[in-house]
Structure formats: structure tokens, C-alpha cells
Amino acid sequence: MMHHLRTTRWTELAAEPEFRALVRARRWFVTPATFFFIAYYLALPVSVGFWPAVMSRPAWGPLTIAYAFALSQFAMAWLLLALYVRRARKFDLQAARIRKHETRELFDARP
Amino acid sequence: MRTQQTLVMFAIFVGITLIVTYWASGQSTTRRGFYAANRRIGGLQNGWAIAGEYFSAASFLGITGLIAFYGFDGFMYAVGWLVAYLAVLFLVAEPLRNAGKYTVADLVSFRLRGRGVRATAALSTLAITLFFLIAQMVGVSALAKLLLPQLGDVAAIVAVGVLMLIYVLFGGMLATTWVQIITAALLLSAAVGLSLLVLAHYHFSLGGFLAAASHVRAGDHAVNLLQPGLLFHGAPGAWNLVSLGLALVLGTAGLPHILMRFFTVPSAQAARTSVAWAMVLIGAFYLSTSFMGLGAATIVGKERIGPRMYAGQAIAYIAHHPAQQAALNEQLTKQAYIVPQPDSNLAAPLLAAGLEGSLLTAFVAAVAFATILAVVSGLTLTASSAFAHDIWFSLVRNGRGDETEHLFVARVAAFGVGILAIVLSIALRGFNVAFLVGLAFAVAASANVPVILLALSWRRFSRSGAMIGMLSGLGASLALIAASPVFMGSRASFPLENPGIVSIPIGFVGAIFGTLLWRDRESEQMFDQLQVRANTGLGAEI
């Protein structure tokens, strides 16, 4: 049913404050999170590759800083995942409101 | 004895998956069924299937072996393979489900309408899937040599190829999905089981386990497997790691066979849930490679696993060209690359033998074959959809043709891809094709990812930008791999093993340059529609 929306309608929809708010909210989370995880991940090969002696020092018992840093990447990935999944519930609500709004207007517009 | 046990367990796996295929065949009578399992796979199931699609035998046997020999440096590979899913989660999974239909090309050509963009996107999908497919199938012959020496390697390739074709041709996406779910469950239980056995060996004392791993006897001296630098040394090693890491982290978000899985779920929400589950499972698996690898080194001992090892198909090359082994080793060691040696991938099976004896070993070997089967089925289906849906249906037939014709073409394409993979991998067995996996990741990261990201976020992005971007990313990856040490050996003119750090920027620059060159008002106007659909799910395929 949704396929028959006319193209002009998409442009109007894209300009609506409700939709802009959704796009902004999503970008607010996704952009910094993406830069953060890429930087955090690349810090591992860079630090290990260029400063192996420092990274070989013990962090916890026999566990080296390098291994602890590698394990922390798992924690980082799961933490960002949890944060995103939690935040995305809000995006879902916003998207559902826009969808509901849009379908109602379609019904109202019927003769 | 072990060979028989392995074959019996593998036969049980095949029997179960064939029953699943028979059950699924009734639901593969439409395109939506064949490519996307009627979009009725749940988020949790799809998470398991993504894991099954992602774990290859190389990550199971290869990473475990790398960790057994090089400790931390091997584990570093595993880290990137999990972190990469954050890019899938944040950037592509949900928009892809909302705005796509069956293929990656659907998403890219949603606003960049036209034959050129779709053809280029299909070409890049076919290139990536074929590289992967051939690497996996050649890997079958190496695995057969290691785990089932009585069975010929050609017989193993043909058996895997035929089974994969049965799953795909008759059961389509639904059968492929369940094969992947079953494989992921088997693999994860094998990995977690072995890890627990390793911990039990150390009386569940993490400190004792780590202490043992930091003093592994190798000949007359002890090695600390927890410290970096055993595999990669010096500046070339460091740059290799960074380039490989970049290609891994971005490339996964452009792998067509992973992305295709998001068309099988009912909504963008389910797509997100499936990445979440996949990340839990993939993370658990790669954490356990640490226990398996370090356990293999400490319990079984380096000497018994082999002098050195390598995470891929390079072994087969050495097996066929023993004369060149010394020269190749020397050259690879000098350039800080992994040194391929025959006994390599046996760390996990030998650990199993060391812990529980032959039955567990046979189980681990059977699981290794099952993982290859799950991966190649997904790849064949993806290549078939790129050919039938993008090239035949959209370009040759201009969107005409009925369901019967479409399904027929899809099955013929899958059959053709399968036969091509069998023939090529029989011809190429014994050659070192490990570089194909790195190449596939580099192409995905350099050709697909820039174009997917820009299409979703840059209003001005144009058709010429998409085509130039994809072609320059593809061309740069191919050219740099061809000039790299993995292909040219000592005559290499490009110093790095993986071209990512150079080819990914080339892909982005090509896409931006092509956009600035020609303005494309039509694609700009379509941006609103794509943005609304991708973010809200309005008009999504159901």
C-alpha cells in the first residue's frame, strides 16, 4: 500500500520537523560512535605495532597491557552495542509516530 | 578410526540439513522465498545465521592455530572480526532492510537509478563473492588433506560443492539459513566446550592458565604468548596490521553475503536485533579462540602441533610445492608475514585429542567441514541473486519476465556459480589463494562501503560518482594486491599485504570526484525519498 505514495509527498515528509528531529537524533549518536570505535580499534594495531615494548608490560598478573587492551575491545563493542540498542528504541518510537501520522493523512485525503 | 568417526558425524549433519532442505523446498517457489526466505526469519534466528555465515573454517582452525603459535598476534585478528560488526550495526543494517529488496545493488540504485550503477554494483558483488567462494572451496582440499587424509581432496571438493548446490537449488534462502544456524550452534558449542575443558585442565584458575600461557616451552627456551610481536615485527608489520584492520573493520559492512541476510527479516528492528545477537555470538566465539589457542599451546605443546602454522589455505600450496618451501619461508619471514607450514591448522583438533580423545577430535573435524558448507551456500545464493536479479532481470530483461522465469534464471545462475567454483577450486588446489580473502575484504571496503555510505548520506551524490567510486575502489584493490608481496613475492612493488589503507581512500576520492564532475539532479531529488524510507521504514518491502 505504501508503495503508491507520490514522490512529491516524500519531499514534504523529509522537511517535516518530526522527521528532521529523528534524522538529527540518529546522527547525534551514530557519527561520534562510529569515529570512536574506529579510533579505539585502530589504536590496538598502532600501539602494538609501533610500541611493542610498552605493550608487553604486565597489566594484571601475567596478562600484558596488549592482551588486556585487546580484551577491552570486546567490552567496548558490547557496550556500544548495548547503548545503541537502548537508544534505538527511541528512534523506533519516533519512526512509528511518523509512519502512523503519514498513514492517517493518507486516509484523510481519500475522497 | 578418527576418519570414520568424522565421516559418521558429518553424515549425521548432512542428513539433518537435507531434511531441512526438503522442508524448505516448499517455500522457495517465489523470488521472495528463494532470496529472502519470505522475510520471515526472526531476529534471533538471523543473528545465529549471520554468525554461521561469518565463521569460516579459517576462523575456527586458523585463528586457534595462530594463537597457539603466536599468542597475542593471532588473537589480534579475532578482535577486528567482532568490532567490524559495529559498522554493520550503525551504518548499514537498518537502512538496507528499509530501502532494499534482494541485493546490495537495490540499495545503491534506489536513488541512483540507471543501468550503469546497477551493473557496476552487481559486478562488485560477483567479484567479492567469487573471491570468497574460491578461497573457501580451495580450503576444502587443504582441510581434507589435514583431517581426512584417506579421502582425496578432489572428492572432498566435489562432495562439498554438490551438497551446497542441493541446499541452494532446492531449499533457497530458508534452507541456507537453517544450515547456517545449525552450523553456528555446533561451532559455538565446540568452541565453548573446548574452552571449558581447557579451564578445567587448570582447575578453573584463570591465573594458573595465564601463568602457563606466559611460559610456553619452545625448544630450550620459554615463550610468553601473551606478549605482542611474535608474528609481526617492525614497521612493515605494524603498517600491515593497520591496513588489514581498516579493511576488516570497514569491509564487513560491504560484504554482500552478510548484507543479504538483512533482507530475510520482517523489519529494520529485526535487522538490528539480528546484528545484536550476531555480535554476542561472534564475540563469545572469538573470546573462546583465546582459550582454545593458548590451551593448545600449553596442554598439547607447540612441538606436537607443528613447527609453525598459518591461518588459511597456504598450506596446500606448500604441500604441492615442497621445493619452494624454504625460499618462501625465508622471504615471508623477512617481510614479517605469516609463514605457511603444513601441520598448521591442526591446533584445535589436536587440543580436542589432548583433552578428550578421538570422539571430540572427530566432532571438531566434522564441524570444520560443516562451517565451510554453511559459508559457501550463502555465497552461492548471493552470487546467484546478483546475476539473476541485478543483471538478468533488471538489465537484460528490463524488469520484465514472470516469477517462473525469474526463479529458473536464479537456479541456473546458482548452478553455474556452483559448477564454476568446483571446477576452479579443483584447478587451483595446491595454489596459495589465501590472498583472495584479503582481496574480497579490500574490494568490499573500497568499492562498496564508500558508495553505500555516500548514497545514504550525501544529497549531491550522483550516478557518475557511484560508478567511478566503485570502479576505482575495485581497480585499486585488484592492482595493489597484484603488486603486493602475497602475489608477487620478493618482486613486489607495493609493500603491504592488504591494500586497504590506500584503496579505501581511493574509493572515497573516486566517488567524490565523480560526483563533483557531473551534477545529477534526478538522483538529488530522489535523496528525500531514500532518506525518509531508510529512517522510518515507510514503503519498506514486506
Side-chain angles (χ1 to χ4, degrees):
Chain A
M1 176 176 72
M2 288 295 128
H3 297 284
H4 307 300
L5 289 177
R6 270 169 285 116
T7 32
T8 46
R9 191 67 205 130
W10 295 109
T11 310
E12 282 166 40
L13 252 176
E16 268 173 29
E18 214 178 4
F19 178 73
R20 297 317 319 167
L22 169 62
V23 171
R24 245 198 330 272
R26 190 180 272 281
R27 278 204 185 139
W28 250 96
F29 184 93
V30 162
T31 313
T34 304
F35 279 105
F36 172 77
F37 89 75
I38 292 179
Y40 193 86
Y41 170 67
L42 285 182
L44 178 70
V46 167
S47 61
V48 163
F50 292 104
W51 298 283
V54 178
M55 299 302 282
S56 301
R57 287 188 198 147
W60 179 76
L63 199 69
T64 57
I65 298 181
Y67 225 104
F69 190 24
L71 290 172
S72 82
Q73 302 268 347
F74 286 72
M76 181 274 292
W78 282 333
L79 186 73
L80 278 187
L81 168 69
L83 285 177
Y84 178 73
V85 167
R86 222 180 71 165
R87 184 62 65 90
R89 281 191 210 128
K90 238 165 62 190
F91 303 154
D92 285 343
L93 289 179
Q94 280 173 291
R97 259 202 306 275
I98 296 172
R99 278 201 304 270
K100 207 167 146 194
H101 198 99
E102 184 52 25
T103 352
R104 192 173 306 137
E105 273 185 18
L106 270 186
F107 279 114
D108 291 348
R110 279 181 184 175
Chain B
M1 182 62 192
R2 204 192 73 209
T3 305
Q4 280 166 6
Q5 286 170 340
T6 304
L7 286 176
V8 167
M9 287 193 206
F10 190 63
I12 295 172
F13 168 80
V14 168
I16 293 172
T17 51
L18 287 180
I19 294 170
V20 168
T21 307
Y22 178 74
W23 160 74
S25 61
Q27 300 207 26
S28 303
T29 50
T30 59
R31 258 179 286 177
R32 203 163 141 268
F34 187 75
Y35 292 141
N38 287 319
R39 309 196 200 282
R40 266 192 230 135
I41 305 288
L44 174 61
Q45 294 162 335
N46 198 40
W48 280 93
I50 291 172
E53 177 103 67
Y54 199 52
F55 296 142
S56 57
S59 57
F60 180 38
L61 302 180
I63 292 289
T64 305
L66 271 176
I67 296 173
F69 280 89
Y70 301 109
F72 171 82
D73 281 13
F75 184 53
M76 199 152 53
Y77 272 90
V79 172
W81 284 348
L82 169 69
V83 172
Y85 272 87
L86 285 173
V88 179
L89 177 74
F90 292 156
L91 305 173
V92 294
E94 295 168 58
L96 189 75
R97 174 59 189 87
N98 275 337
K101 200 171 178 185
Y102 302 121
T103 63
V104 177
D106 281 338
L107 176 71
V108 174
S109 58
F110 182 89
R111 60 178 278 229
L112 309 163
R113 302 253 154 119
R115 305 163 69 85
V117 175
R118 190 178 280 274
T120 321
L123 176 76
S124 126
T125 295
L126 282 173
I128 296 167
T129 41
L130 282 178
F131 293 154
F132 256 116
L133 194 54
I134 291 165
Q136 292 291 329
M137 294 283 279
V138 172
V140 171
S141 82
L143 260 190
K145 276 208 183 75
L146 291 171
L147 303 176
L148 300 169
Q150 288 91 330
L151 194 80
D153 53 351
V154 175
I157 290 179
V158 172
V160 166
V162 168
L163 277 171
M164 146 193 112
L165 279 175
I166 292 174
Y167 298 149
V168 172
L169 291 180
F170 297 105
M173 182 53 108
L174 191 58
T176 303
T177 302
W178 279 101
V179 169
Q180 288 165 348
I181 293 173
I182 294 169
T183 308
L186 289 174
L187 185 62
L188 208 63
S189 43
V192 171
L194 279 175
S195 302
L196 287 178
L197 286 173
V198 167
L199 274 178
H201 184 90
Y202 289 98
H203 309 289
F204 294 97
S205 148
L206 207 56
F209 170 62
L210 290 175
S214 65
H215 288 283
V216 175
R217 296 215 51 82
D220 51 350
H221 61 290
V223 175
N224 181 359
L225 284 182
L226 302 177
Q227 86 180 25
L230 296 177
L231 175 56
F232 300 99
H233 338 264
W239 284 111
N240 264 327
L241 283 177
V242 174
S243 190
L244 178 77
L246 208 58
L248 260 172
V249 153
L250 289 177
T252 307
L255 289 181
H257 59 295
I258 298 292
L259 299 185
M260 195 174 171
R261 293 234 46 93
F262 297 117
F263 298 121
T264 66
V265 291
S267 66
Q269 252 168 303
R272 184 197 314 136
T273 315
S274 50
V275 190
W277 278 111
M279 282 183 70
V280 170
L281 300 170
I282 290 168
F285 173 76
Y286 283 122
L287 273 183
S288 70
T289 58
S290 243
F291 292 102
M292 289 193 290
L294 297 176
T298 53
I299 297 169
V300 182
K302 275 185 153 187
E303 286 80 6
R304 273 193 55 208
I305 303 173
R308 273 178 177 164
M309 64 77 53
Y310 174 59
Q313 291 79 15
I315 333 142
Y317 175 83
I318 296 292
H320 277 246
H321 304 87
Q324 290 171 32
Q325 181 171 327
L328 188 74
N329 276 358
E330 192 201 356
Q331 168 209 321
L332 287 171
T333 321
K334 228 187 288 170
Q335 283 155 345
Y337 298 125
I338 311 161
V339 180
Q341 286 259 340
D343 305 332
S344 60
N345 284 336
L346 286 172
L350 275 175
L351 173 64
L355 288 167
E356 276 300 309
S358 70
L359 208 61
L360 189 61
T361 319
F363 178 66
V364 167
V367 168
F369 278 100
T371 53
I372 291 203
L373 209 44
V375 176
V376 293
S377 304
L379 287 166
T380 304
L381 195 62
T382 309
S384 142
S385 73
F387 183 82
H389 178 71
D390 293 329
I391 294 181
W392 179 263
F393 185 66
S394 302
L395 298 175
V396 178
R397 298 279 283 140
N398 273 320
R400 287 187 303 270
D402 57 5
E403 205 73 15
T404 324
E405 176 191 325
H406 194 109
L407 268 176
F408 178 72
V409 176
R411 289 204 160 100
V412 170
F415 186 74
V417 168
I419 296 297
L420 183 73
I422 293 174
V423 171
L424 276 179
S425 43
I426 289 176
L428 289 173
R429 77 191 200 285
F431 286 96
N432 181 357
V433 294
F435 71 91
L436 282 177
V437 173
L439 180 58
F441 269 101
V443 173
S446 328
N448 283 3
V449 169
V451 168
I452 293 174
L453 289 187
L454 292 174
L456 283 170
S457 60
W458 190 21
R459 182 179 295 270
R460 171 114 191 239
F461 192 50
S462 72
R463 284 173 276 203
S464 49
M467 282 170 64
I468 294 176
M470 282 189 280
L471 290 175
S472 55
L474 184 69
S477 313
L478 287 174
L480 290 175
I481 280 272
S484 77
V486 284
F487 205 75
M488 293 297 282
S490 54
R491 289 170 296 140
S493 43
F494 179 70
L496 299 178
E497 199 177 354
N498 191 293
I501 202 166
V502 179
S503 63
I504 296 169
I506 290 180
F508 272 104
V509 168
I512 293 168
F513 178 74
T515 303
L516 297 178
L517 217 52
W518 290 286
R519 191 115 202 202
D520 182 357
R521 306 263 176 210
E522 206 182 312
S523 299
E524 281 176 43
Q525 279 164 6
M526 287 294 291
F527 181 71
D528 283 331
Q529 184 178 160
L530 176 64
Q531 209 188 15
V532 172
R533 284 185 177 222
N535 281 292
T536 62
L538 271 171
E541 296 283 335
I542 46 168

